[in-house]
Amino acid sequence: MFKAFLIKYAEIAIKGKNRYIFEDALVDQIRHVLKEVDGEFRVVKERGRIYVYAESEFDYDETVEALKRVFGIFGICPTVVLKDQGYEALSKEVVSYVKNMYGDREMTFKMDVRRVKKSYPMTSMEMNAELGGDILDACPNMKVDVHEPDVLIHVELRDKIYLYSEVIPGPGGMPVGTNGKAMLLLSGGIDSPVAGYMIAKRGVKIDAVYFHAPPYTSERAKQKVVDLAKLVAKYSGPIHLHVVNFTDIQLYIYEKCPHEELTIIMRRYMMKIAEAFAKQDGCLGLITGESIGQVASQTMHSLAATNEVCTMPVFRPVIGFDKQEIVDVALKINTYETSILPFEDCCTIFVAKHPVTKPNLKVIKRSEENLQEKIDEMMAEAIETAETIVCE
Ligand code: ATP
Ligand code: MG
């Protein structure tokens, strides 16, 4: 029945000269997600609207699922597209559409006819009354309610006639690419994929960096991170994932610094290296999955100590979330199952029994002096030898 989808997006946010940037990015991202779907599609901008036209047989459910992952979409309206063949023909189509969609369920409706093509012989008001009357005659289960109808039946009279009533909620947010780029510190855990998703939802393109510590962390742990990046990429578009070999730096810190400060010092170097990649890739900020108080390295003191090395803004979108709230998002975006696979993570291997929870920055900096001899060289080497994987 459906040959097209009308895409609804928030227009208020994009009035003015930025509108075309928003719309073009939305069109690009829709095309991108539809590449994976069975069927040929044409995505077009038409007078303040975006339509997805099916040009072949297509899988309806897959199409809707794909569109539900495009940030910037507020509603997906499966639409019947009709040729203008006069009022009688239209009325028949509308009645059969209503019967198809709603069967004999007891419901209320309201007509919403818009005459964009002004040459159409009847006014919108007349059409509302006539079509509404025809539905009432043909469907005894339907009643009119102009204030709070269960369904609003839209008929738009353009060069063709567009008929729709269902609005499937999209994810909201802004189209990816309309708001710069940021570098996600992506581990194999639950929190960082959620953090990346949340920032991408605001229109930010993301790249990622993963700190790998072979042989302490396995190839399977790395594969898990690649898989997570691919899952996030279903929403954000392709992610360039830099896999950094962090083993030597970790061992060096382990050898030279007090063990209870290990995690904090290690995290400071992670941030520094992530920032170097961020600069290379033209990113304007870093993203982490930190949440206040979740673990010793995420107390306010620890966060402050970690943050101190960064010159770029660090975005921590789950900072105020409880674990369960993060898990709820992970379940919604389908990263949870992968995140809980039991592979070791580079932080857990070197973690001290009693890590400091209130690190003193002066003390930490003094310990870092023990690293002076080799650390710069090691960081440069880690950055240079990183492997970049395009995850899409
Ligand atoms: P997550 O669930 O995201 O792994 P976590 O609760 O395990 O988080 P930490 O291990 O303290 O918390 O890490 C805090 C943040 O630091 C992570 O959310 C992530 O952004 C970053 N991070 C930690 N380990 C790595 C790693 N090996 N590679 C890249 N980023 C990391
Ligand atoms: Mg982790």
Side-chain angles (χ1 to χ4, degrees):
M1 164 162 69
F2 299 113
K3 280 274 180 293
F5 297 87
L6 164 64
I7 303 299
K8 296 205 158 174
Y9 49 93
E11 294 184 42
I12 299 120
I14 54 159
K15 283 274 178 322
K17 66 179 191 305
N18 288 332
R19 181 181 181 125
Y20 79 95
I21 297 174
F22 184 103
E23 290 173 334
D24 290 352
L26 194 53
V27 168
D28 281 352
Q29 192 62 20
I30 291 172
R31 287 187 181 136
H32 176 74
V33 299
L34 288 177
K35 274 191 230 155
E36 290 191 10
V37 176
D38 262 343
E40 295 293 315
F41 299 93
R42 193 159 52 88
V43 185
V44 287
K45 236 171 43 164
E46 274 173 16
R47 291 183 224 165
R49 290 274 161 114
I50 291 172
Y51 290 97
V52 174
Y53 292 103
E55 303 273 83
S56 69
E57 291 297 306
F58 70 106
D59 186 318
Y60 176 86
D61 293 334
E62 266 186 36
T63 308
V64 171
E65 280 313 307
L67 292 171
K68 277 175 153 177
R69 296 195 306 262
V70 178
F71 297 133
I73 295 184
F74 280 79
I76 303 155
C77 310
T79 302
V80 177
V81 184
L82 302 166
K83 275 198 198 123
D84 180 8
Q85 294 177 315
Y87 178 82
E88 287 308 316
L90 173 60
S91 167
K92 270 199 190 131
E93 292 283 358
V94 171
V95 167
S96 93
Y97 167 84
V98 170
K99 288 190 164 166
N100 257 321
M101 287 292 287
Y102 304 108
D104 48 15
R105 249 188 292 162
E106 296 285 331
M107 311 184 58
T108 59
F109 75 100
K110 178 183 172 182
M111 289 305 301
D112 179 19
V113 176
R114 278 217 250 168
R115 193 177 58 156
V116 180
K117 187 180 167 186
K118 296 293 176 201
S119 61
Y120 202 84
M122 294 161 80
T123 67
S124 311
M125 294 285 273
E126 287 165 348
M127 293 279 284
N128 278 331
E130 291 295 321
L131 288 172
D134 292 348
I135 292 172
L136 286 173
D137 289 344
C139 312
N141 55 312
M142 286 288 194
K143 290 195 180 62
V144 171
D145 180 343
V146 292
H147 300 294
E148 277 186 60
D150 296 326
V151 286
L152 200 54
I153 299 172
H154 299 269
V155 175
E156 292 189 6
L157 307 163
R158 296 170 178 251
D159 289 334
K160 291 199 174 134
I161 298 173
Y162 296 85
L163 171 58
Y164 67 93
S165 61
E166 191 188 5
V167 185
I168 301 164
M174 322 258 281
V176 168
T178 53
N179 222 339
K181 185 152 76 162
M183 181 63 69
L184 170 65
L185 283 87
L186 182 62
S187 68
I190 296 169
D191 309 331
S192 44
V194 169
Y197 166 88
M198 288 176 72
I199 296 297
K201 184 166 182 240
R202 300 308 304 161
V204 179
K205 191 170 165 26
I206 55 183
D207 279 342
V209 50
Y210 165 58
F211 296 93
H212 188 38
Y216 303 97
T217 56
S218 64
E219 274 304 298
R220 295 211 304 171
K222 170 176 149 190
Q223 187 56 44
K224 174 179 160 181
V225 175
V226 171
D227 292 342
L228 284 170
K230 285 183 180 169
L231 290 171
V232 176
K234 283 178 179 278
Y235 297 88
S236 68
I239 295 176
H240 291 235
L241 173 69
H242 306 287
V243 179
V244 177
N245 187 327
F246 203 49
T247 313
D248 290 347
I249 293 178
Q250 276 187 313
L251 290 173
Y252 189 47
I253 300 172
Y254 194 76
E255 181 193 333
K256 299 280 186 189
C257 302
H259 289 184
E260 66 276 12
E261 292 170 13
L262 216 72
T263 308
I264 291 294
I265 294 176
M266 199 175 78
R267 296 196 52 72
R268 282 163 59 89
Y269 282 101
M270 279 188 182
M271 295 304 245
K272 279 193 199 180
I273 293 171
E275 198 171 272
F277 283 109
K279 283 180 183 156
Q280 272 182 19
D281 287 7
C283 295
L284 298 167
L286 303 175
I287 309 166
T288 75
E290 289 160 312
S291 152
I292 294 173
Q294 201 188 77
V295 286
S297 58
Q298 296 176 28
T299 63
M300 285 295 280
H301 296 77
S302 298
L303 288 167
T306 309
N307 201 69
E308 197 260 349
V309 297
C310 302
T311 61
M312 276 187 190
V314 181
F315 302 114
R316 300 178 172 90
V318 300
I319 197 73
F321 278 25
D322 294 339
K323 194 71 186 188
Q324 187 58 46
E325 292 171 306
I326 303 174
V327 166
D328 289 345
V329 183
L331 286 168
K332 188 179 87 179
I333 67 172
N334 199 31
T335 53
Y336 183 74
E337 288 295 319
T338 305
S339 287
I340 59 171
L341 293 173
F343 303 128
E344 62 298 314
D345 141 357
C346 71
C347 305
T348 46
I349 286 157
F350 292 90
V351 76
K353 281 220 175 62
H354 301 289
V356 282
T357 54
K358 289 190 182 178
N360 176 317
L361 200 52
K362 273 195 198 134
V363 177
I364 297 285
K365 285 186 167 174
R366 207 175 306 132
S367 304
E368 285 178 354
E369 281 169 18
N370 302 340
L371 304 171
Q372 249 174 14
E373 192 191 334
K374 290 206 282 184
I375 193 74
D376 287 347
E377 194 187 308
M378 291 174 97
M379 281 206 294
E381 160 114 15
I383 292 165
E384 205 158 290
T385 59
E387 175 194 8
T388 301
I389 302 171
V390 179
C391 302
E392 54 187 340

